[in-house]
Amino acid sequence: MGDHGSKIEISFAGSFASSAIAASFAELCTIPLDTAKVRLQLQKKAATDAMAMPKYRGMLGTVATIAREEGMTALWKGIVPGLHRQCVFGGLRIGLYEPVKSFYVGENFVGDIPLSKKILAGLTTGALAITVANPTDLVKVRLQAEGKLPPGVPRRYSGALNAYSTIVRQEGLGALWTGLGPNVARNAIINAAELASYDQVKQTILKIPGFTDNIFTHLLSGLGAGFFAVCIGSPVDVVKSRMMGDSAYKSTLDCFVKTMKNEGPLAFYKGFLPNFGRLGSWNAIMFLTLEQVIANATFVKKLFAREVPA
């Protein structure tokens, strides 16, 4: 990924397929941490008892609580819409990144692409991709948010497909795009942070004597991308999760104001460690897988690649 002298150019179809495979594999590996993150973000400070202990405490504590109360499989709640999301969102945002970046700098550009153009390309592809994939994100959050229920209380949804149909039937088709505003903001920002920082960190590392375009470089660049993404995107991520998981908020601004008023500014960084644990590992796995798929999958090259002048 990125402009590092490759003589093989992968078409959009090949890039989309490779990105979808890599993003889906990373999602499958890291969704337990994402479930913990969502539960921590949706957990509100008790209004009536200031001394009440929160149910979920820390990443590992949250994972342990969910596994103990609901079973290990509960950690993979939302995996089906999660994979739906990554096939659509991951394929589009990453697959479109290189052509959009080339569009912004022009066909005849020579040299290192400026960081500003990389950020702009990331913002653009993130916003476009999540606009298409928002329904999958909504269903994923709704399934992840549902914890252990009292005996006799039925679950809202029996599964991902039931969730899609139930939401449309009860709330209307437009409800599938609930939280689109903060979701576009969140994913455009995080996508720009991930893709631009991965591109930039990798480019910088490869200029250091002794470093080559190998697995170690991909891992370092992926972890760096995850760290920047969490630092920049946590506030909008919290607002997005709360709007999708709780219908009490009227708008993005309403959610932001109520969260700030009731819980303070640190509430916007709730779940920071599980979020970094998840996004750091997710990016490391995803970019490593993506680089390996593009470099080693002969069938992808045969189907989709074309030679370009060096």
Side-chain angles (χ1 to χ4, degrees), residues 34-107:
D34 190 52
T35 299
K37 178 208 74 173
V38 169
R39 294 288 181 88
L40 283 167
Q41 288 178 336
L42 293 178
Q43 180 170 258
K44 300 175 185 177
K45 190 179 290 183
T48 56
D49 186 359
M51 299 300 292
M53 295 294 289
K55 180 178 181 180
Y56 302 118
R57 302 186 68 188
M59 177 177 66
L60 296 180
T62 302
V63 169
T65 299
I66 294 171
R68 183 176 64 253
E69 293 187 352
E70 305 169 47
M72 287 293 293
T73 56
L75 291 168
W76 274 266
K77 276 184 177 178
I79 186 59
V80 173
L83 293 177
H84 293 167
R85 178 185 188 273
Q86 293 306 334
C87 285
V88 178
F89 176 65
L92 286 174
R93 75 180 180 99
I94 302 168
L96 287 170
Y97 177 69
E98 291 295 335
V100 169
K101 188 171 64 173
S102 297
F103 171 79
Y104 282 138
V105 297
E107 291 183 4

Side-chain angles (χ1 to χ4, degrees), residues 153-230:
V153 177
R155 294 195 175 278
R156 284 196 295 175
Y157 314 113
S158 61
L161 296 180
N162 175 255
Y164 287 119
S165 61
T166 301
I167 291 169
V168 171
R169 186 174 65 253
Q170 295 181 352
E171 305 173 45
L173 182 63
L176 290 173
W177 278 267
T178 298
L180 180 62
N183 213 14
V184 166
R186 181 254 185 192
N187 283 282
I189 291 168
I190 289 182
N191 189 58
E194 285 179 351
L195 298 185
S197 62
Y198 180 83
D199 212 350
Q200 194 71 20
V201 169
K202 181 180 174 183
Q203 179 180 300
T204 302
I205 289 175
L206 290 177
K207 291 180 179 178
I208 301 174
F211 281 89
T212 59
D213 193 357
N214 57 21
I215 290 176
F216 184 64
T217 298
H218 302 159
L219 286 173
L220 285 180
S221 302
L223 287 171
F227 179 75
F228 284 115
V230 177

Side-chain angles (χ1 to χ4, degrees), residues 22-34:
S24 295
F25 180 67
E27 185 78 4
L28 188 64
C29 293
T30 62
I31 198 168
L33 297 177
D34 190 52

